[in-house]
Amino acid sequence: MSTRTMSEIALLPQSAARFMVATLLALAASLPQAADDYPNKPVRLMVGANAGGGTDIIARMLAEKMTESLKGTFIVENKPGANGIIGAEAAKRAAADGSVLMLATTSTHSANPSLYRQLPYDPVKDFFLVGHFGTGSTLVLVKPDAPYQTLADLVAEAKKKPGQLHYGYFNASSHVPGALISQLAGIELQAVAYKQIANAMTDLIAGHLQVIFVDSVAGDSYASSGKLKVIATAGAQRLPKYPQVALITESYPSYDVSGFLGLAIPSGTPEPMRSLWNQALNEIILSEPMKSTLERYGFYPKSMTLQDLTRFVGEEQARWKRYVALAKIEPQ
């Protein structure tokens, strides 16, 4: 305990000072021990999406790495629905003792505050972001035999058939990009809502949809298998796996949409536990093969402090508020 802290306590009435000292000493004694023993019971990692999606894939990679690094049991628990809101609510209600973590996404922490008039959680007040996997890319997918093989082709086709081309979405990261390109390109794409990515992909393959905007992790298997084709990407740079595929910003410079994945814990979690997770995540995301796997999907992980992450959440919310406004999406 610092001299300044003890001096401040000394100015309090004697009974209050004794109580304060006892409280601080108890806290100092218990928290490091909890951190040393952690995890002493199974830890649930809440994912606000169905199995098989990008967030779920990353979550399972993370759970495996955490098991290796922290020698505990980490269980991925899928809580899909409502743009990640159901999972976020479940994590918010959980005990703030490190037994429940949450995979933070663009939907839960960046876009939802602008897409919903009333959220049952606050990304800033109810959670601490303790880790950041990087800012990811979006794939624009169509059928391999579609009459449009580039983004320019798709825009031209949409202009010839206003309102007749449909794109499927299942979260903010797949909804806003399609609405935004409609505004910037002056076309009319019809948005079709799905509860989960698998159903949307099935309908695209079957020809019931014409295009999908999806995160690079979830979309990669469909593109790699040849079931679907990538005609454009969104992100900071061209993906190493698809170097020949142009970025949307090469045609529409203001289209700088990108998403993120991170790890969040309930806001009541003590600082030692927050610091423990921040350190652990910084080490995990920069270790192999986690780092190279994330980079293959267009994520570029970097070490961030708790203060960095707090600023990041605020900046992301402002960015996505602008995206939603540009896309002219009315909050629900």
Side-chain angles (χ1 to χ4, degrees):
M1 189 175 297
S2 68
T3 303
R4 179 183 174 188
T5 303
M6 290 301 296
S7 299
E8 291 171 349
I9 293 174
L11 296 176
L12 296 171
Q14 188 174 13
S15 59
R18 283 198 299 269
F19 175 78
M20 181 72 75
V21 169
T23 301
L24 290 173
L25 288 175
L27 189 64
S30 63
L31 292 181
Q33 182 179 4
D36 288 342
D37 293 343
Y38 184 81
N40 51 18
K41 60 181 177 180
V43 177
R44 293 182 294 156
L45 176 54
M46 294 286 185
V47 179
N50 290 90
T55 52
D56 179 71
I57 292 170
I58 295 295
R60 293 182 189 280
M61 289 172 51
L62 176 62
E64 184 177 341
K65 289 295 293 183
M66 290 191 300
T67 298
E68 295 174 5
S69 299
L70 299 176
K71 311 301 181 186
T73 301
F74 294 86
I75 303 167
V76 173
E77 187 169 323
N78 296 91
K79 293 279 187 181
N83 264 9
I85 293 175
I86 293 175
E89 275 195 282
K92 172 188 172 180
R93 293 194 301 267
D97 59 0
S99 62
V100 172
L101 311 170
M102 170 187 166
L103 201 70
T105 68
T106 299
S107 294
T108 60
H109 277 63
S110 304
N112 281 352
S114 296
L115 291 172
Y116 296 90
R117 290 188 176 87
Q118 288 188 323
L119 268 183
Y121 70 94
D122 186 305
V124 175
K125 294 179 181 178
D126 294 328
F127 297 99
F128 286 116
L129 192 65
V130 294
H132 178 264
F133 301 100
T135 300
S137 299
T138 296
L139 304 182
V140 184
L141 298 176
V142 300
K143 289 184 65 178
D145 60 352
Y148 24 84
Q149 296 293 298
T150 66
L151 181 63
D153 292 343
L154 177 68
V155 169
E157 184 79 1
K159 286 184 175 179
K160 288 191 295 185
K161 300 176 180 178
Q164 296 181 47
L165 271 62
H166 298 76
Y167 75 95
Y169 73 89
F170 34 86
N171 58 17
S173 296
S174 56
H175 184 194
V176 175
L180 184 54
I181 199 65
S182 296
Q183 294 297 322
L184 295 178
I187 58 178
E188 186 181 349
L189 296 177
Q190 295 293 328
V192 182
Y194 287 84
K195 290 185 177 180
Q196 56 182 315
I197 180 177
N199 294 341
M201 292 299 195
T202 298
D203 276 1
L204 179 60
I205 293 169
H208 303 310
L209 299 172
Q210 284 67 55
V211 63
I212 278 181
F213 300 77
V214 64
D215 67 84
S216 54
V217 182
D220 181 72
S221 62
Y222 293 91
S224 296
S225 66
K227 293 179 180 178
L228 296 171
K229 181 177 180 178
V230 184
I231 63 169
T233 64
Q237 60 192 67
R238 289 193 180 194
L239 289 176
K241 191 171 182 177
Y242 307 101
Q244 77 285 1
V245 179
L247 291 166
I248 296 178
T249 50
E250 294 175 36
S251 299
Y252 304 95
S254 60
Y255 191 102
D256 60 346
V257 177
S258 59
F260 89 99
L261 287 175
L263 191 72
I265 55 179
S267 60
T269 306
E271 197 281 332
M273 189 70 73
R274 304 199 305 266
S275 295
L276 180 150
W277 268 113
N278 181 238
Q279 180 180 350
L281 261 293
N282 283 336
E283 292 174 358
I284 287 173
I285 61 174
L286 295 177
S287 65
E288 295 295 350
M290 189 79 172
K291 181 175 181 290
S292 57
T293 301
L294 288 169
E295 289 176 349
R296 188 171 75 247
Y297 288 128
F299 289 87
Y300 300 95
K302 64 177 181 179
S303 177
M304 297 180 74
T305 67
L306 292 172
Q307 292 74 24
D308 293 336
L309 292 164
T310 298
R311 286 194 298 271
F312 174 80
V313 171
E315 292 167 356
E316 278 291 291
Q317 286 191 15
R319 233 166 37 95
W320 277 80
K321 183 177 182 179
R322 180 169 61 85
Y323 295 155
V324 170
L326 286 171
K328 297 186 178 179
I329 299 175
E330 286 295 322
Q332 297 180 24

